[in-house]
Amino acid sequence: MVLLGVTELGVNLPSLVAYLVNFILLLGILGVFAYKPLMRMLDERTERIRESLEAADLARQEAANAQEAIQEQITEARREGQRIMDQTREAAERFRTEEMEKARQEAEAFVERARADIQRERDTALQEVRASFGDLAITAAERVIRSSLDRTAHESLIAQVLEEGESLRRG
Amino acid sequence: MPTGALAKKLLLFTGVGLVVLLLVGFIFGAVGSAMLGTDQFLDKPEIHLPPQPIFPADVRDEHLGLLQIDGEHHGEDAEAHFTPLGATEIAVTNTLLSSWFTTVVLILIFVTAARRRSVIPGRFQGFVETMIEGVLGFASSVLGPEMARKTFPVVATIFFFVLFNAWLALLPFYQFLGFTQDGEIKAHFLRSAGTDINMPLALALISFVFVEYWGFRARGFSYLKKFFQLGKIFRGKPSGLIDAFVGFLELTSELVRVVSFTFRLFGNMTAGEILVVMITFLVPFVATQFVFGLELLVGLIQAVIFAGLTLVFLSVATSHEEH
């Protein structure tokens, strides 16, 4: 009989139902209280790891950018410094040239003025000498005329005048 | 951790102990007793394919033949004879008890891990997660990530149930807890649920229903077209007969899966159980360890096969390609 063979093998309907119910209960309990929260947690962790990696990447990128910016600033500052120094040097050079030119001009002007002064002094002196000689000649003439025409007197007179003139010139 | 000379000494003692046990086992086992005439350490085991009823007690005593001991039949025909449960007889069998034990262990492990979960896992959580991710990865490799997540609970539960059933049955108290008569264990209190044909059958039915459910869900009623390819016959084409036959084959193979699922697991688990019992009888003590190692592997393989085939059938049932 077929049924006998089946029981010899151990087939038992209530057991089968019990196993089915048991499995479904196990499935339900594990599904709700274990798989679902654990899977959610695994997903959460995956998400967090992904976020952390992205954040790290971002931070690295930012650091690199900052580094670049700083480098650029340093370069810029160096260039600026160079420019300022160049400017200063140029200004100093220009100042020096200008000052030298000014000093030279002043010196020249001073020399010019001195020369003009000397000239004027000389002219004045010459005029004065000339005037003195005129007076002297007139005086000599008066004396000549006054002392009449005595030869010896005449000669001594001339000598006297000349002497006076000489002393005058010397004085 | 002992090091150097101590470790060497320990290793030596263990090795010598194992060899001595192996020799003793050989001498007092069935093989040695037949060759040397020594007393047998164990009695010849009785192998029963059907599980033994444990509760209620009267059903147990009746089926194990234990009633006769106390009754007036005490005498030459007092030899207890085991009779299997009838097809519809209600009793809690030792295999059913062991499946409950497995269920409780599984719930304890997984629910504890889930309750104590944190984003940074401890060792225990890491262990449970490794198992879960292992099954999920396996499912993903067959079904793709999306379907794997949807079908994960059933596939994972099948996997863990089969695996833990097989592995827990290797614990010693499965072998020494039982109901005795004349110092002989007549029925073990726990017996691997895989050795009860109802358990593989239940799992096979679950797997079958699950696969068909997903077939319908993925393809609607066109899923049935695979089994009833009658379109050409209705249009009067003779080649439609071939299509109809192919459909019939598909339907048959779909149903036969239940049988093959059932007997594959039942056969493997029962064979393992018998192997353990027989080796223990033939050469007690150490020799059994090799069989235990083998059984660990067999348990894993059966769990992988059961879950894997369910996945493959799911993949076939839900794929949209037409043949």
Side-chain angles (χ1 to χ4, degrees), chain B residues 103-178:
Chain B
T103 304
V104 169
V105 169
L106 278 177
I107 289 175
L108 278 180
I109 290 177
F110 281 91
V111 175
T112 311
R115 288 183 78 93
R116 290 211 216 120
R117 72 187 179 278
S118 71
V119 174
I120 300 158
R123 286 179 198 178
F124 178 62
Q125 193 188 331
F127 163 69
V128 173
E129 278 175 12
T130 308
M131 293 199 292
I132 286 184
E133 294 209 325
V135 175
L136 189 61
F138 181 44
S140 295
S141 69
V142 180
L143 290 177
E146 199 192 330
M147 267 299 281
R149 286 187 79 103
K150 287 182 186 162
T151 58
F152 174 79
V154 172
V155 175
T157 309
I158 288 178
F159 177 80
F160 292 130
F161 189 66
V162 173
L163 183 70
F164 278 72
N165 241 320
W167 281 3
L168 290 175
L170 299 175
L171 292 173
F173 57 79
Y174 269 68
Q175 297 299 329
F176 67 66
L177 282 183

Side-chain angles (χ1 to χ4, degrees), chain B residues 279-323:
Chain B
I279 290 289
T280 312
F281 168 65
L282 292 175
V283 185
F285 311 128
V286 187
T288 329
Q289 302 313 311
F290 302 108
V291 184
F292 269 56
L294 188 69
E295 283 311 298
L296 280 176
L297 193 64
V298 168
L300 178 63
I301 288 171
Q302 287 310 312
V304 169
I305 286 178
F306 213 112
L309 281 178
T310 303
L311 285 171
V312 170
F313 294 149
L314 268 174
S315 155
V316 171
T318 54
S319 64
H320 284 268
E321 57 202 298
E322 295 295 324
H323 299 287

Side-chain angles (χ1 to χ4, degrees), chain B residues 239-316:
Chain B
S239 68
L241 279 174
I242 297 173
D243 281 3
F245 184 64
V246 169
F248 172 71
L249 282 183
E250 288 274 1
L251 189 64
T252 313
S253 78
E254 203 84 359
L255 294 172
V256 163
R257 274 179 203 166
V258 177
V259 181
S260 69
F261 257 137
T262 307
F263 281 95
R264 184 182 304 109
L265 184 56
F266 173 64
N268 274 287
M269 290 298 110
T270 309
E273 189 83 0
I274 292 173
L275 194 59
V276 170
V277 171
M278 288 317 293
I279 290 289
T280 312
F281 168 65
L282 292 175
V283 185
F285 311 128
V286 187
T288 329
Q289 302 313 311
F290 302 108
V291 184
F292 269 56
L294 188 69
E295 283 311 298
L296 280 176
L297 193 64
V298 168
L300 178 63
I301 288 171
Q302 287 310 312
V304 169
I305 286 178
F306 213 112
L309 281 178
T310 303
L311 285 171
V312 170
F313 294 149
L314 268 174
S315 155
V316 171

Side-chain angles (χ1 to χ4, degrees), chain B residues 162-235:
Chain B
V162 173
L163 183 70
F164 278 72
N165 241 320
W167 281 3
L168 290 175
L170 299 175
L171 292 173
F173 57 79
Y174 269 68
Q175 297 299 329
F176 67 66
L177 282 183
F179 298 93
T180 58
Q181 179 193 321
D182 302 335
E184 188 186 335
I185 292 183
K186 283 292 169 189
H188 291 98
F189 185 67
L190 293 169
R191 178 177 137 180
S192 172
T195 65
D196 176 358
I197 194 160
N198 298 298
M199 190 281 254
L201 183 58
L203 284 188
L205 287 174
I206 298 262
S207 166
F208 174 77
V209 170
F210 187 60
V211 168
E212 304 311 311
Y213 164 76
W214 272 103
F216 276 110
R217 193 168 153 175
R219 295 165 62 178
F221 275 95
S222 68
Y223 176 61
L224 285 177
K225 276 188 199 158
K226 191 166 85 173
F227 308 119
F228 303 101
Q229 306 180 5
L230 304 173
K232 280 189 182 169
I233 284 190
F234 288 143
R235 271 179 261 130

Side-chain angles (χ1 to χ4, degrees), chain A residues 137-156:
Chain A
I138 290 166
T139 314
E142 272 175 2
R143 291 232 189 120
V144 168
I145 291 162
R146 224 178 303 155
S147 62
S148 69
L149 292 175
D150 177 3
R151 177 131 178 124
T152 50
H154 195 164
E155 276 179 355
S156 72

